[in-house]
Amino acid sequence: MKIGEVHDANRKTVGRTILHFDAVESTNETAKELLESDVEEGLVVWADRQAAGRGRHGRAWASPLGGLYASFILRPKDAHAWVLGLLIGMPVVKALRHFGVFAGLKYPNDAVYQDRKIAGILSEGVYRHDVYHVIAGIGVNTNVDLEKLPAEVQPRATTMKREVNLFVANEEFLDYLLNQIDDLYSRYRNTRIEFLLKDYRGQCTTIGKRISATIGKDRVIGKAYDIATNGALVIADDQGVKHDFFEGTLEILK
Ligand code: BTN
């Protein structure tokens, strides 16, 4: 059920209107349903919990009360769902740091603190009436007890409640986060993508690390080397051969 609507005319695109729900299946799905009507670009769907939150690779995203779950609608100039998904990792990490968690960005867009995941992004490209849209959904473990997350997730996850003494309301976190995303999107619209990917490269803590990645059926071990202009992680294997990695399992080796 919708429980509120917030407007902020100071934002350029993202977060000028926020629809607040108590519970939805998935904010990405609600945002997609809204595409059937004539919605403004930048519209945000925010929910206090999700009954069927989704993560990357078709995984579930545990969404208990206390966490932050929000999706927004973009109509980018190019079909850039993957690249935008990467870039949005930067404002998420910035917001976490602002509120006291010195998180880093693990490729593609996991916000990680001391090797434990604290936030994730699911960015999907969809056509509606021949217009390309990106639905970008962000889940942040804000005011959640670690024990409320599934047992199999707990060893690799953390929450702001666990890491920061100070209570941060989801509303406050979302407000700051949307300001950062709005700025990033305005840069995206006005800057060459190579420049933004350079920023991303500088912030991605996977670069320079020895990693093991699955590409299709193959396993590649080598050094995370660069970010290509299509948003792929370039891995240089031990023979110096370069491989482009997008989706799959990525393990940081010690
Ligand atoms: C991942 O790291 O696997 C991505 C997680 C994305 C979760 C968010 S929560 C808000 C939005 N709605 C969803 O169903 N998923 C995203």
Side-chain angles (χ1 to χ4, degrees):
M1 191 179 72
K2 191 172 133 193
I3 54 174
E5 183 165 332
V6 184
H7 294 271
D8 186 338
N10 291 321
R11 295 195 179 117
K12 293 172 277 299
T13 310
V14 181
R16 287 174 65 85
T17 302
I18 304 170
L19 307 182
H20 185 191
F21 294 81
D22 56 353
V24 296
E25 293 288 299
S26 152
T27 53
N28 270 38
E29 294 312 313
T30 306
K32 276 184 212 164
E33 285 159 20
L34 288 167
L35 294 181
E36 296 307 328
S37 51
D38 192 16
V39 283
E40 69 187 40
E41 186 179 24
L43 181 84
V44 178
V45 175
W46 167 33
D48 292 340
R49 60 197 160 84
Q50 302 183 112
R54 293 192 295 110
R56 289 187 295 112
H57 310 297
R59 292 192 195 118
W61 183 260
S63 309
L65 208 59
L68 177 66
Y69 316 105
S71 303
F72 48 93
I73 296 169
L74 303 175
R75 283 187 209 104
K77 53 192 172 195
D78 295 308
H80 270 168
W82 182 258
V83 169
L84 274 166
L86 292 186
L87 299 178
I88 292 162
M90 295 195 282
V92 171
V93 162
K94 194 164 179 193
L96 284 162
R97 291 183 180 187
H98 178 80
F99 289 107
V101 178
F102 201 76
L105 202 48
K106 180 186 170 202
Y107 186 87
N109 49 21
D110 287 352
V112 174
Y113 178 67
Q114 293 181 343
D115 291 333
R116 288 165 169 261
K117 182 157 164 175
I118 191 163
I121 298 167
L122 177 66
S123 163
E124 302 179 284
V126 287
Y127 279 95
R128 279 294 179 284
H129 311 297
D130 287 338
V131 179
Y132 184 76
H133 296 78
V134 169
I135 308 293
I138 302 175
V140 188
N141 298 334
T142 46
N143 303 301
V144 180
D145 288 312
L146 191 63
E147 297 69 38
K148 289 271 158 61
L149 300 179
E152 66 277 12
V153 168
Q154 286 180 26
R156 290 172 288 108
T158 193
T159 77
M160 283 182 66
K161 190 170 179 184
R162 185 172 181 264
E163 307 295 350
V164 188
N165 266 330
L166 207 68
F167 171 79
V168 181
N170 280 339
E171 203 167 356
E172 196 185 342
F173 191 95
L174 182 63
D175 183 61
Y176 184 88
L177 175 63
L178 290 176
N179 286 343
Q180 304 308 315
I181 296 174
D182 190 39
D183 285 351
L184 170 92
Y185 193 57
S186 142
R187 286 187 63 213
Y188 166 82
R189 295 217 280 201
N190 297 305
T191 316
R192 282 178 48 194
I193 201 79
E194 292 84 357
F195 296 144
L196 294 172
L197 283 169
K198 214 171 238 177
D199 285 353
Y200 171 88
R201 187 190 189 285
Q203 292 195 25
C204 178
T205 57
T206 310
I207 299 288
K209 296 223 169 97
R210 191 163 168 76
I211 58 171
S212 164
T214 52
I215 301 178
K217 286 195 183 111
D218 299 330
R219 197 164 112 101
V220 176
I221 295 185
K223 190 170 166 182
Y225 175 78
D226 201 3
I227 302 293
T229 45
N230 59 3
L233 177 70
V234 184
I235 305 170
D237 70 20
D238 295 341
Q239 283 69 46
V241 179
K242 306 237 171 73
H243 305 261
D244 277 3
F245 171 84
F246 287 99
E247 286 275 29
T249 318
L250 177 68
E251 195 194 336
I252 314 278
L253 303 174
K254 298 284 167 202

